[in-house]
Amino acid sequence: MEPVQSVELIADHGIVGDSSFGRKKRQILIVSRAVLEEHALLPGEMRENIVVDGLDVDALEAAVLLTIGTATIEIIGPCDPCGRLDEIRDGLQEQLENKRGVLARAITDGAISIGDSITQISPK
């Protein structure tokens, strides 16, 4: 995982160039910066695609639509911590229970750049 300034999303496919591009549902993983900091993790270390500030992503429910930059994404649901997290640090899988972020899929084509605002557009 390499940090980038911006990404391009294609509806129903995900992030151009990402290993999950083309999947039906598990296209994008969104994680809160606060969770990364709480567990002394660097961006990308959990293989997340998007790190956000000021939004409790773990509280987002399935079917919520977000606009980030010029793209619209739909929240699919929570990402369950997997055993790979314990490869980063013993016990991390358990520590990240209910804090692993959310999976989403691209609803529209668009671009997301560092610093873009996030707007919840549905449900309100």
Side-chain angles (χ1 to χ4, degrees), residues 3-123:
V4 295
Q5 293 296 311
S6 64
V7 293
E8 196 70 30
L9 277 68
I10 303 294
D12 297 321
H13 288 83
I15 298 172
V16 174
D18 186 67
S19 62
S20 296
F21 187 79
R23 288 185 179 177
K24 289 295 178 195
K25 292 189 176 185
R26 296 177 59 104
Q27 297 172 355
I28 304 162
L29 174 56
I30 306 169
V31 173
S32 169
R33 181 173 307 282
V35 169
L36 294 178
E37 290 173 354
E38 176 185 344
H39 296 279
L41 297 167
L42 298 172
E45 206 166 5
M46 290 196 305
R47 304 196 58 78
E48 72 281 355
N49 301 103
I50 299 172
V51 177
V52 299
D53 286 317
L55 176 65
D56 181 3
V57 296
D58 296 303
L60 295 172
E61 295 183 11
V64 166
L65 298 180
L66 301 175
T67 297
I68 308 175
T70 61
T72 300
I73 62 172
E74 177 186 20
I75 302 302
I76 301 301
C79 181
D80 295 325
C82 64
R84 186 189 127 4
L85 295 169
D86 284 343
E87 294 172 14
I88 298 170
R89 185 172 56 243
D90 284 340
L92 188 57
Q93 179 182 9
E94 184 177 338
Q95 292 170 12
L96 289 174
E97 190 66 39
N98 299 316
K99 295 192 263 182
R100 176 67 165 92
V102 291
L103 295 165
R105 67 184 191 97
I107 298 296
T108 65
D109 294 356
I112 298 175
S113 299
I114 291 176
D116 282 345
S117 62
I118 301 171
T119 304
Q120 182 173 327
I121 58 174
S122 168

